[in-house]
């Protein structure tokens, strides 16, 4: 497909600020990648002067892949195409001493952060179960991203967990420093502080990067914008691409006003509108446009499509959530058989995860394969977290969170009482637990009450850690070393003792095998001159654990179930938007607070524009809540869809009969 006139205008703009409003399905990635190629090939700009930033590893990888297909490798030397956080990490790795870190430092995973929070709560004699660590970490993230403004808000909050979070924040930062580690938010905060306070480093990057592009600019938060402005200095060559109508991450701190106020911040900016949707039919695009136009304060624009065939959008209301699920699964099953649609081309999208239950149940009854995207993922599995903890200890013995996780796993007779004594001794001596272990092996009486058998187990533990530290350092194939380590440490024996089902044992061992495979692929994809080390692999793992890519989890034959938030950036031939009722979307919390309906409308718009060929909206007249039946009202967003583009069907008390008729027809099709 050739570039249209608006896309060409954006691609050929070279100097000065450029704002590209890119509607859903309008080819924004094509524009960004073609602009990069144009700057290098046509304008003769060195690739090392170009940086393109986005928000997910998936998007960055897609950009890299496309650019590499269009331009020879030598011309791309030095180009920076990455996420904001990956760029921040590179800056920290290059200048660790300037911000009080020692190399290598550790990037804490969310799981590790939760362990730190629980330990801090216990130290304050607060029951961790009363104050969820995830909620506290969410507060910490907002503090790091918005600073004094959010601190002031927490300080006057009547909610106890808000005040506890504020009290723990400094302790948390102190623990990270003691562990020589950072968290995900620090990957923006610390480089920002570095660029603010270190003129020499700031001038280096402002000289290095002369052409900066930012994708999904509507998702940028204030801290990322500050980081960006420091990278730029007085450089005017900033190109941002985004769509205020698809801003759905306000709860994470994204600031839609940054794209709306771009022309105020950069006077004289060139503005280009990409409004031709190449993804969806005109019925779908027009229906979505008739909804989003009701948002006040948005940039006035209207998306259009030249795909003029297909059906109107359908809205189906059933009696209850069970009847709704039967209708949806009846319909998608017909599409899979008569329309020969693979399950991976069909998606059921909902506002919140709990809504998936009725659809999962109905899909299971029919034996239709499905994938609940965003469910229990690979990196949450115990054995995966255990082996990653071992890798982190081998790379950095000061990582106490990881050390304490596996000190007695597989079990080696180092019980909870012993570990408590070791921690207490480390506090008294003001040194790490690893140092206490080393000194204990040299002088067993160093810690009172530790049995000789336990000291012997600790000695064996340290021996194997030291042995593999050397092996990883000298080896040219780290994956082979890791495989040997898994065998020697005794994972399989421990898993066999924990599980009685052979299938479960095999599955858990396969998970460990997959970590080895990941390391092997990681080693192979990097060039020889940049030989990776364990630290690099740990960083890769941590970034993947933070940013799981729903698209990578897709399997062609499985119907995709996910939240509307997770669907952003994806597309499907057929989309069911389900549970479209007041209190669900817009969400009841939003309605109670009296704010945020605009963002809920944008979320609905994002869900609608995922559909390429067919869009089916469903709801129920009543739902059960804690076993009681509660009447529902259709979402206000249904009423906002122009009747020109919508067919409405309210079918009541017909599901059993209609479903039986359908199943009879289905059997005929199968036997035909």
């Amino acid at each position: 497909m050739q570039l249209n006139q608006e896309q060409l205008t954006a691609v050929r703009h070279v100097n000065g600020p450029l704002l590209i409003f890119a509607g859903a399905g309008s080819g924004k990635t094509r524009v960004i990648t073609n602009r990069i190629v144009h700057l290098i090939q046509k304008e003769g700009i060195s690739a090392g002067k170009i940086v393109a930033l986005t928000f997910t590893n998936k998007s960055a990888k897609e950009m890299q892949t496309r650019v590499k297909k269009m331009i020879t490798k030598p011309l791309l030397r030095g180009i920076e195409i990455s996420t904001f956080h990956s760029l921040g990490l590179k800056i920290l790795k290059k200048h660790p001493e300037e911000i009080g870190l020692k190399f290598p430092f550790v990037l804490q995973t969310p799981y590790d952060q939760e362990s730190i929070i629980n330990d801090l709560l216990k130290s304050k004699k607060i029951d961790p179960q009363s104050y969820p660590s995830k909620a506290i970490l969410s507060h910490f993230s907002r503090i790091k991203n918005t600073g004094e403004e959010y601190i002031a808000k927490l300080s006057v909050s009547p909610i106890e967990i808000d005040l506890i979070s504020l009290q723990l924040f400094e302790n948390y930062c102190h623990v990270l420093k003691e562990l020589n580690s950072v968290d995900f938010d620090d990957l923006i905060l610390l480089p920002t502080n570095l660029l603010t306070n270190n003129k020499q480093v700031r001038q280096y990057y402002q000289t290095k990067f002369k052409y900066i592009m930012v994708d999904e600019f509507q998702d940028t938060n204030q801290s990322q914008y500050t980081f960006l402005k420091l990278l730029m200095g007085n450089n005017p060559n900033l190109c941002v691409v985004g769509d205020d109508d698809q801003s759905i991450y306000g709860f994470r701190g994204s600031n839609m006003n940054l794209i709306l106020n771009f022309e105020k911040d950069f006077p004289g900016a060139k503005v280009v509108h990409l409004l031709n949707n190449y993804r969806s039919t005109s019925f779908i695009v027009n229906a979505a446009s008739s909804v989003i136009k009701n948002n006040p304060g948005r940039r006035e624009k209207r998306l259009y499509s030249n795909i003029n065939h297909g059906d109107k959008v359908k809205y189906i209301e059933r009696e209850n959530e069970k009847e709704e699920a039967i209708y949806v699964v009846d319909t998608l099953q017909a599409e899979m058989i008569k329309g020969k649609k693979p399950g991976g081309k069909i998606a059921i999208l909902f506002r919140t995860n709990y809504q998936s239950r009725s659809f999962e149940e109905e899909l299971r009854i029919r034996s239709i394969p499905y994938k609940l995207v965003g469910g229990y993922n690979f990196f949450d599995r115990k054995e995966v977290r255990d082996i990653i903890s071992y890798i982190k200890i081998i790379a950095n013995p000061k990582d106490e969170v990881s050390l304490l996780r596996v000190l007695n796993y597989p079990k080696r007779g180092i019980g909870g009482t012993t570990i408590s004594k070791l921690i207490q001794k480390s506090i008294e001596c003001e040194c790490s637990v690893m140092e206490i272990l080393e000194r204990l092996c040299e002088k067993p009486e160093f810690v009172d009450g530790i049995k000789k058998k336990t000291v012997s187990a600790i000695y064996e533990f340290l021996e194997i850690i030291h042995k593999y530290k050397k092996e990883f350092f000298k080896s040219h194939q780290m994956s082979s070393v890791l495989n040997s380590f898994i065998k020697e440490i005794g994972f399989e024996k421990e898993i066999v003792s924990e599980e009685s089902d052979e299938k479960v044992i095999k599955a858990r061992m396969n998970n460990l095998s997959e970590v080895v495979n990941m390391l092997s692929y990681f080693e192979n994809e990097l060039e020889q001159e940049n030989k990776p080390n364990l630290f690099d692999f740990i960083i890769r793992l941590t970034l993947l654990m933070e940013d799981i890519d729903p698209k990578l989890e897709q399997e062609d034959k499985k119907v995709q179930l996910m939240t509307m938030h997770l669907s952003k950036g994806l597309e499907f031939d057929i989309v069911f938007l389900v549970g479209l009722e007041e209190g669900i979307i817009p969400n009841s919390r939003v309605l109670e607070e009296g704010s945020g309906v605009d963002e809920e409308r944008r979320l609905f718009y994002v869900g609608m524009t995922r559909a390429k060929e067919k869009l089916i909206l469903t709801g129920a007249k009543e739902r059960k809540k804690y076993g009681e039946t509660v009447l529902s009202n259709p979402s206000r967003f249904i009423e906002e869809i122009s009747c020109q583009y919508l067919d409405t069907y309210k079918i009541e008390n017909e599901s059993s009969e209609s479903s039986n008729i359908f199943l009879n027809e289905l059997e005929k099709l199968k036997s035909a």
Side-chain angles (χ1 to χ4, degrees), residues 142 153 250-251 295-296 351 582-603 636-637:
R142 292 296 291 269
K153 180 181 176 181
F251 66 96
N295 263 6
R351 175 61 179 85
E582 290 288 296
I584 296 179
I585 183 165
N587 188 267
S588 56
R589 174 186 52 78
V590 168
L591 296 176
E592 287 165 11
E593 294 173 357
S595 62
V597 172
D598 292 353
E599 181 156 319
E600 292 287 292
R601 187 178 282 108
R602 291 193 292 270
L603 181 59
R636 67 191 68 187
F637 303 144

Side-chain angles (χ1 to χ4, degrees), residues 340-370:
K340 296 183 179 179
K341 288 286 182 191
K345 298 288 186 182
I346 302 172
I348 301 174
L349 307 183
F350 32 80
R351 175 61 179 85
T352 50
N353 275 310
Y354 78 85
Q355 292 174 260
S356 72
R357 183 201 58 78
S358 58
F359 300 97
E360 289 190 70
E361 185 177 341
E362 192 62 31
L363 288 163
R364 284 175 181 271
I365 289 170
R366 314 277 187 98
S367 298
I368 298 174
Y370 71 90

Side-chain angles (χ1 to χ4, degrees), residues 25 301 491 562 597 659:
K301 54 191 173 304
F491 266 102
M562 69 188 79
V597 172
S659 187

Side-chain angles (χ1 to χ4, degrees), residues 624-636:
K624 287 192 181 295
K625 191 172 184 181
Y626 298 108
E628 298 293 326
T629 298
V630 179
L631 292 176
S632 302
N633 292 314
S635 169
R636 67 191 68 187

